[in-house]
């Protein structure tokens, strides 16, 4: 969560962060891929991944991607090679392939959270596993320092 800073004296729950930052980013990513035909606009890719133009150009050069040919395959190459929190989250989710069932460890890994905070939420709820349907309940029980998004 390198684009966040926090104040250790105030707390929040992860659901607030998820609803205000992560979910809208995932929805925008999904919208870009489903509502637009390739090639995708460079500015849209930069915006959805929340990366700088310089980072995009660096990845583009490194992977030899023509900016007029950003199809879904190229998009996911960019996503996988970016420093984007959302990109990293999506990559970790695909790597684990949870199938909609989550352990405390998988949630901590996917969302880059401290395992002890996630495990504490599971213990409070009496859960051994969570599903897509009750993941929001787990998120509400993950107590974290109050984060502020750092815009740049």
């Amino acid at each position: 969560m390198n684009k966040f800073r926090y104040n250790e004296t105030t707390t929040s729950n992860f659901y607030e962060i998820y609803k205000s930052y992560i979910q809208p980013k995932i929805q925008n990513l999904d919208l870009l891929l489903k509502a637009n035909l390739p090639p995708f606009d460079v500015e849209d890719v930069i915006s959805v991944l929340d990366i700088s133009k310089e980072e995009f150009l660096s990845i583009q050069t490194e992977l030899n991607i023509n900016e007029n040919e950003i199809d879904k395959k190229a998009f996911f190459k960019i996503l996988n090679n970016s420093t984007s929190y959302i990109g990293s989250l999506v990559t970790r989710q695909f790597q684990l392939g949870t199938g909609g069932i989550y352990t405390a460890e998988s949630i901590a890994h996917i969302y880059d959270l401290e395992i002890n905070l996630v495990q504490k939420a599971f213990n409070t709820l009496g859960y051994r596993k969570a599903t897509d349907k009750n993941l929001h309940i787990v998120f509400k029980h993950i107590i974290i320092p109050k984060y502020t998004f750092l815009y740049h």
Side-chain angles (χ1 to χ4, degrees):
M1 298 182 106
N2 62 347
K3 292 189 180 183
F4 294 89
R5 71 167 178 242
Y6 65 92
N7 177 343
E8 293 182 41
T9 61
T10 57
T11 59
S12 180
N13 64 59
F14 186 67
Y15 184 72
E16 289 179 25
I17 300 240
Y18 182 83
K19 288 297 282 182
S20 64
Y21 176 73
I22 297 169
Q23 189 175 45
K25 288 288 185 186
I26 292 171
Q27 289 170 338
N28 288 340
L29 189 150
D30 193 46
L31 188 61
L32 174 71
L33 295 174
K34 290 181 178 174
N36 297 292
L37 294 174
F40 301 119
D41 180 74
V42 170
E43 295 303 320
D44 289 343
V45 171
I46 289 169
S47 175
V48 164
L49 294 180
D50 198 19
I51 59 174
S52 67
K53 178 82 170 187
E54 292 77 19
E55 182 176 358
F56 172 82
L57 293 173
S58 175
I59 294 168
Q60 177 190 18
T61 301
E62 181 182 327
L63 300 177
N64 197 28
I65 296 172
N66 181 329
E67 80 175 49
N68 297 322
E69 297 175 4
I70 303 175
D71 58 7
K72 287 184 181 182
K73 184 177 178 181
F75 176 83
F76 280 102
K77 284 182 181 180
I78 295 164
L79 177 141
N80 288 328
N81 286 277
S82 75
T83 60
S84 165
Y85 174 75
I86 296 302
S88 298
L89 184 153
V90 170
T91 299
R92 290 188 298 264
Q93 174 98 30
F94 280 125
Q95 287 171 342
L96 286 181
T98 64
I101 298 174
Y102 304 89
T103 62
E105 292 80 10
S106 64
I107 292 171
H109 178 69
I110 291 167
Y111 294 95
D112 195 22
L113 296 167
E114 293 179 28
I115 182 62
N116 61 323
L117 299 176
V118 182
Q119 190 60 60
K120 187 174 180 180
F122 268 65
N123 293 345
T124 298
L125 293 165
Y127 287 4
R128 296 179 88 192
K129 295 186 179 186
T131 66
D132 286 335
K133 291 184 180 194
N134 64 4
L135 196 55
H136 69 285
I137 296 169
V138 174
F139 288 170
K140 288 178 181 178
H141 285 82
I142 299 172
I143 306 304
I144 56 173
K146 187 75 171 184
Y147 285 91
T148 304
F149 186 69
L150 299 177
Y151 293 95
H152 54 263

